Amino acid sequence: MRTGSAVLLVCDYSLKYLGGAQTAFVRQAQALASEGVPVVVLAPDADALTADGVVTVAPPRRGTIPVLDLPLLGRAGDLEPLVAATVRRHDVGAIVVHSEFALASAALSVGKRLGIPVLHTVHTFFWRAPAALAPFAPLVSRVHSALTGIRDGDRYSGSHPLNNALRTMTLRIAQRADIVLSPSRHQGEALRQAGAGRVEAFSNVAQPLQATEPAEGGPLRLLWVARFAPEKRVEVALDAMRAVVARVGADRVHLDVAGGTHRPVPGVTFHGPVPGERVAELMDAADAALITSLGFDNQPMVALEAFAHGRPVIVSDPVLATEFGDAALGTSTPDAAGLAELILRLEADRSLLDAPRAGALAYAGDRVAAAHVAKLQELIASVSD
């Protein structure tokens, strides 16, 4: 990558809705700009990103793909002229794609044709759909091929047909990149085993450290933040709280839930959808964050948010417990009973959170903007070495 040339970030998802992938994408753009690297963002509704130093380009939308709520941008072949023009107009020296659909495929093709390093960030290889929808697998495969123009490559075969089709989408995009970036080591290993090619573990960006001391006295406060989707398993957290309150009463432990709608659960406050600044306030008020998914998450952005605030995470997934190391506390079992047991131990002895709190700050400190950008530039340079 030439000195002074721009990095083009590409995403098929709308930036008006900040899910985990979009949040990671936006923070990478902000991190690059903060380190003086010219940044161009090519994504639907890119003008929603107003960070200083970031140029935005929004492809025209042709509608929305039902169920997936994915912007319909047309076929990859039709998008290649826009990508190529963007590359030339802004002196792009590297491309980083964050999705698996038409715009990402177009960027991969243009990068290869122009000899520009292209990196693919995989936000989830662990797509999961109900087995009852397996008959739709052929349709998913046909639509993806039609949109991306990709008709060859390896197939994933480790799950039921629809999961296989979804993971094959990611795999085939990954196989066309110079480097595949995985925010977690465990997902990176899964991608390597599937045949993704060169895969590098490369964390998402952590926010600047903004640790505050937890409040002394009062109940043990926990925070759950995620999409209200089955794979996030909010019911595990709620069932655990029912068990905890039955043991020690409603005034010793409190769980704040960001997102969703209110339901009567003792010791739980539902805040509904909240903006990022409110999540930060809730994190400061918490002693730890809960992540109750199992076998799904790669590197949940809520974990990075918690770590930047000096808050550890309590995880139901033993793989995530290993991934986060000293910054996480893993439950003995992945169910509500295992979570309730750990919560009761922490309520009885808050000092058990001291070491994980230090681990959280260390984890985030290694992943702030300057470190992230330096590593990304090193990876880009390695493509042409």
Side-chain angles (χ1 to χ4, degrees):
M1 179 174 166
R2 301 177 310 279
T3 302
S5 59
V7 174
L8 174 63
L9 303 184
V10 178
C11 184
D12 284 271
Y13 306 125
S14 169
L15 298 191
K16 281 187 176 178
Y17 167 73
L18 289 186
Q22 293 97 318
T23 299
F25 179 86
V26 166
R27 287 186 181 171
Q28 185 174 68
Q30 294 168 334
L32 286 161
S34 72
E35 293 299 307
V37 179
V39 187
V40 182
V41 164
L42 177 58
D45 306 306
D47 54 359
L49 175 56
T50 57
D52 291 341
V54 178
V55 174
T56 59
V57 180
R61 294 178 62 152
R62 301 184 181 184
T64 302
I65 298 177
V67 182
L68 295 177
D69 196 25
L70 180 72
L72 185 59
L73 306 176
R75 298 172 187 263
D78 298 327
L79 293 165
E80 287 183 21
L82 172 62
V83 177
T86 302
V87 166
R88 294 189 178 100
R89 182 177 305 118
H90 298 286
D91 188 27
V92 168
I95 301 172
V96 184
V97 303
H98 283 252
S99 53
E100 291 82 18
F101 300 97
L103 192 58
S105 180
L108 285 159
S109 295
V110 169
K112 182 176 182 179
R113 187 167 68 245
L114 298 180
I116 296 172
V118 184
L119 294 73
H120 175 210
T121 300
V122 177
H123 290 288
T124 183
F125 187 51
F126 307 122
W127 296 96
R128 184 181 297 174
L133 298 180
F136 289 96
L139 175 61
V140 167
S141 296
R142 286 197 298 271
V143 170
H144 189 257
S145 292
L147 290 176
T148 62
I150 297 173
R151 294 177 175 82
D152 60 351
D154 291 340
R155 289 183 177 276
Y156 184 86
S157 59
S159 186
H160 68 67
L162 185 51
N163 284 352
N164 291 344
L166 292 168
R167 296 175 195 186
T168 294
M169 295 187 321
T170 300
L171 178 60
R172 289 188 169 182
I173 289 288
Q175 289 179 322
R176 284 157 173 78
D178 294 304
I179 305 177
V180 180
L181 305 177
S182 172
S184 68
R185 295 185 302 273
H186 70 276
Q187 180 186 253
E189 185 55 35
L191 285 160
R192 285 189 202 95
Q193 291 180 2
R198 179 183 172 186
V199 182
E200 300 281 350
F202 180 58
S203 175
N204 292 315
V205 184
Q207 293 284 76
L209 301 186
Q210 44 197 315
T212 58
E213 288 297 318
E216 293 186 9
L220 176 74
R221 296 194 71 97
L222 306 171
L223 175 63
W224 191 96
V225 184
R227 290 180 295 108
F228 267 58
E231 58 269 18
K232 296 296 187 177
R233 304 199 319 155
V234 69
E235 290 300 333
V236 170
L238 301 182
D239 287 345
M241 283 299 298
R242 293 183 180 100
V244 167
V245 170
R247 283 280 302 276
V248 299
D251 59 345
R252 304 266 291 276
V253 178
H254 191 86
L255 173 64
D256 289 296
V257 176
T261 55
H262 175 75
R263 63 189 85 172
V265 180
V268 180
T269 298
F270 289 85
H271 294 267
V274 295
E277 56 269 22
R278 179 57 179 148
V279 171
E281 292 171 0
L282 291 169
M283 197 67 76
D284 282 337
D287 292 290
L290 299 185
I291 299 176
T292 47
S293 61
L294 180 64
F296 173 78
D297 274 313
N298 161 31
Q299 187 193 53
M301 290 304 292
V302 66
L304 287 179
E305 183 82 14
F307 299 156
H309 285 259
R311 302 299 187 264
V313 292
I314 296 170
V315 295
S316 299
D317 190 333
V319 174
L320 288 183
T322 300
E323 185 74 43
F324 294 136
D326 294 340
L329 298 102
T331 60
S332 59
T333 58
D335 53 13
L339 178 56
E341 176 192 26
L342 179 53
I343 291 172
L344 288 167
R345 285 175 52 214
L346 296 175
E347 192 280 327
D349 184 0
R350 304 288 178 89
S351 69
L352 295 173
L353 289 166
D354 292 345
R357 191 175 297 121
L361 286 170
Y363 187 100
D366 289 341
R367 292 158 176 83
V368 293
H372 180 92
V373 172
K375 179 63 175 177
L376 181 62
Q377 290 177 317
E378 178 184 314
L379 289 167
I380 291 168
S382 74
V383 173
S384 25
D385 286 348

